[in-house]
Amino acid sequence: MVGNLFDIDERYKGGEKAILVHVDFSNSNDSEDLEELKMLVLSAGASVMGVCCCNRKIPDTKFFIGSGKVEELKALMSDVESDIVIFNHDLSPSQERNLEKEIGTKVISRTTLILDIFALNAKTKEGKLQVELAQHEYILSRLKGQGEALSRLGGGIGTRGPGEKQIEVDRRLIHGRIATLKQELAKVEKNRMTRRGKRQNE
């Protein structure tokens, strides 16, 4: 099924224009799951322009949704002039690259969306450090091979946090940043415990 999921009146008026993609592997037609994804997208400041749904037994190794659905997705994107595709699933790095190359626009997973929302809403120093640590650990899990770099240039969803620096990362740089973040978090936690102890002794 491909088409507009939500009425125009429901669309958030600012930010990026998103197409949602949901694959049902159990034939359950879980509308609540799609509604939850919609709310996450709105929380990230994007508008929901439409949805692409399909049923599969297993993910397609190249595109996750299969080449036929990719063509339908491209047609829908052209109709509504969207500029980002958000999958309600986790994609492999190769699937994400293949889709972006074929579709010609940014493609992100549900996990990337959630981490982006955390980065957008983190207010305290400790919260920001925790989000950046989670983002770097997620990026590290997606890097394959010593020479392969993973980067996302530009702005918008999927680039807030470490991505907004628009840098290419490799394993060595990521490991170094993760170690630094853990040290900074330990200092913040130690300072918080010290302040708490002083207040209790007053």
Side-chain angles (χ1 to χ4, degrees), residues 115-120 122 128 131-133 135-136 139 152 156-167 177:
L115 289 173
D116 188 88
I117 293 170
F118 286 157
L120 188 64
K128 292 177 180 179
V131 170
E132 186 177 351
L133 177 60
Q135 288 176 316
H136 275 97
I139 291 172
R152 186 179 298 284
I157 298 174
T159 64
R160 289 179 281 244
E164 66 189 358
K165 300 172 185 176
Q166 299 188 13
I167 58 172
R177 183 56 183 161

Side-chain angles (χ1 to χ4, degrees), residues 22-189:
H22 176 75
V23 181
D24 190 345
F25 294 106
S26 61
N27 294 316
S28 62
N29 295 318
D30 192 348
S31 59
E32 290 185 1
D33 199 31
L34 280 174
E35 183 67 17
E36 182 180 87
L37 180 64
K38 172 201 171 184
M39 298 309 298
L40 289 171
V41 172
L42 295 179
S43 297
S47 57
V48 179
M49 304 303 295
V51 65
C52 178
C53 292
C54 65
N55 297 318
R56 294 187 64 90
K57 292 183 178 179
I58 59 173
D60 178 76
T61 55
K62 185 175 182 180
F63 294 121
F64 196 88
I65 55 174
S67 57
K69 282 295 176 182
V70 170
E71 293 302 315
E72 293 182 31
L73 179 58
K74 289 166 66 176
L76 176 60
M77 290 178 58
S78 177
D79 289 342
V80 300
E81 298 181 348
S82 65
D83 45 27
I84 184 172
V85 174
I86 302 176
F87 274 70
N88 198 21
H89 315 271
D90 279 329
L91 305 172
S92 70
S94 62
Q95 288 169 335
E96 194 171 285
R97 287 194 301 269
N98 291 338
L99 284 163
E100 289 187 340
K101 182 178 180 180
E102 186 71 20
I103 296 171
T105 194
K106 183 166 58 176
V107 176
I108 68 169
S109 68
R110 183 186 181 98
T111 298
T112 301
L113 172 65
I114 292 172
L115 289 173
D116 188 88
I117 293 170
F118 286 157
L120 188 64
N121 291 286
K123 303 301 181 184
T124 65
K125 180 179 180 180
E126 185 174 12
K128 292 177 180 179
L129 289 172
Q130 289 172 337
V131 170
E132 186 177 351
L133 177 60
Q135 288 176 316
H136 275 97
E137 288 179 335
Y138 180 64
I139 291 172
L140 181 63
S141 72
R142 297 170 62 77
L143 289 173
K144 305 295 182 181
Q146 290 294 326
E148 182 176 350
L150 182 150
S151 65
R152 186 179 298 284
L153 302 183
I157 298 174
T159 64
R160 289 179 281 244
E164 66 189 358
K165 300 172 185 176
Q166 299 188 13
I167 58 172
E168 288 194 346
V169 296
D170 59 26
R171 288 181 181 276
R172 179 179 56 82
L173 293 176
I174 283 288
H175 278 298
R177 183 56 183 161
I178 286 175
T180 299
L181 288 168
K182 288 182 176 180
Q183 290 174 357
E184 292 183 19
L185 276 169
K187 290 180 182 178
V188 170
E189 183 177 357

